[in-house]
Amino acid sequence: MPELQKPTPGVLLLAALFTGAGILHFVKPETFDRIVPPGLPLPARTATLLSGAAEIADGLGLLHPAPRPAARWGLLALLVAVFPANVYMTQHPERFRPLPAWGLWARLPLQPLLMLLVWRAGRNRD
């Protein structure tokens, strides 16, 4: 029987980041409701809870080698899906004070970096 691949420190960090963020979607949903762009074909609260559940499930999925590849794809899809919320925030910085406008803009290039980290963390090592 092959030895179980333990998550690396980087995988543990990403799992904690996404799981923690997902939990916040349920603890403070109004914070996340505000960043849902208008025109989405579902209520903001539904989008908040669905994205929070996905973050929790996929964050936890990174911890075990069997679901890790699926969790990677789930998190990548989630990061693509929430990118419009980040763009929306940069277009309307006055709605998100006290966050500085430069901070909202700084989040945009961090998204591809986070995607790269998820891509690498979601691989099972041989």
Side-chain angles (χ1 to χ4, degrees):
M1 179 186 250
E3 183 180 328
L4 182 66
Q5 296 173 348
K6 295 181 181 176
T8 65
V11 170
L12 290 172
L13 182 64
L14 281 172
L17 174 85
F18 282 105
T19 303
I23 290 168
L24 284 176
H25 281 66
F26 290 91
V27 174
K28 292 282 214 178
E30 57 282 342
T31 301
F32 297 94
D33 292 348
R34 289 181 11 170
I35 69 172
V36 175
L40 200 64
L42 61 151
R45 180 57 54 92
T46 303
T48 294
L49 298 179
L50 286 174
S51 61
E55 283 184 305
I56 293 168
D58 290 328
L60 293 174
L62 289 176
L63 296 175
H64 192 277
R68 194 173 293 145
R72 168 175 64 168
W73 285 110
L75 288 171
L76 290 171
L78 178 71
L79 289 166
V80 168
V82 301
F83 190 73
N86 294 339
V87 172
Y88 174 69
M89 292 177 75
T90 64
Q91 293 171 330
H92 304 282
E94 70 283 354
R95 296 180 186 173
F96 303 102
R97 289 192 179 110
L99 298 175
W102 66 264
L104 301 175
W105 280 97
R107 291 172 49 143
L108 296 180
L110 291 177
Q111 196 93 3
L113 176 61
L114 193 53
M115 292 175 80
L116 175 64
L117 294 174
V118 166
W119 177 259
R120 297 182 81 201
R123 295 176 299 172
N124 278 328
R125 299 180 310 269
D126 291 326

